Amino acid sequence: MVQYWHNWCLQRVAHPFADAIKGADDDVQDGLVHIRIQQRNGRKTLTTVQGLSSEYDLKKIVRSCKKEFACNGTVIEHPEYGEVLQLQGDQRENICQWLTKAGLAKPDQLKVHGF
């Protein structure tokens, strides 16, 4: 039953982005998706994802990631970087795998920063 739900979730995740036009490197803004971790207070951390194409609905991406990773998240407007995804906790490996599985970025386009 869990596997069936997981497959259903992946089908739901892939569907909202099907309307985006995919080119060779048009999926990301500068060719790279930057995934960073920021220390909050104590053991609390934030994972930020910057550099996804503006063609994607970032709120739908955050909603799917929140369900998949069981964490909270939001889209913030950064004055220099534009719209940035924020997820609670250290989700660097999870978001890398999810972005490649959903087809939003290739593994060579992902740049992981921190620790």
Side-chain angles (χ1 to χ4, degrees), residues 30-44:
D30 65 347
L32 289 176
V33 176
H34 297 277
I35 300 170
R36 295 181 174 88
I37 188 165
Q38 296 176 346
Q39 190 73 33
R40 283 181 38 212
N41 48 2
R43 295 176 55 195
K44 309 285 186 183

Side-chain angles (χ1 to χ4, degrees), residues 35 47 69 90-100 110 112:
I35 300 170
T47 302
F69 308 147
D90 187 1
Q91 306 294 340
R92 290 176 293 176
E93 290 300 317
N94 293 336
I95 195 71
C96 287
Q97 293 170 1
W98 188 87
L99 287 172
T100 55
L110 300 175
V112 181

Side-chain angles (χ1 to χ4, degrees), residues 53-107:
S53 175
S54 59
E55 294 176 351
Y56 297 133
D57 189 355
L58 297 182
K59 291 184 179 182
K60 287 184 180 180
I61 294 174
V62 167
R63 191 179 316 137
S64 300
C65 289
K66 286 166 60 172
K67 288 181 183 178
E68 183 78 18
F69 308 147
C71 68
N72 201 3
T74 188
V75 178
I76 62 164
E77 184 66 36
H78 193 274
E80 184 179 349
Y81 302 125
E83 288 186 321
V84 177
L85 305 181
Q86 270 190 353
L87 299 170
Q88 286 184 350
D90 187 1
Q91 306 294 340
R92 290 176 293 176
E93 290 300 317
N94 293 336
I95 195 71
C96 287
Q97 293 170 1
W98 188 87
L99 287 172
T100 55
K101 188 171 21 173
L104 299 178
K106 299 177 188 120

Side-chain angles (χ1 to χ4, degrees), residues 8-19 64 98 101-102:
W8 176 82
C9 182
L10 287 178
Q11 290 173 356
R12 288 281 300 202
V13 168
H15 178 69
F17 319 120
D19 58 345
S64 300
W98 188 87
K101 188 171 21 173

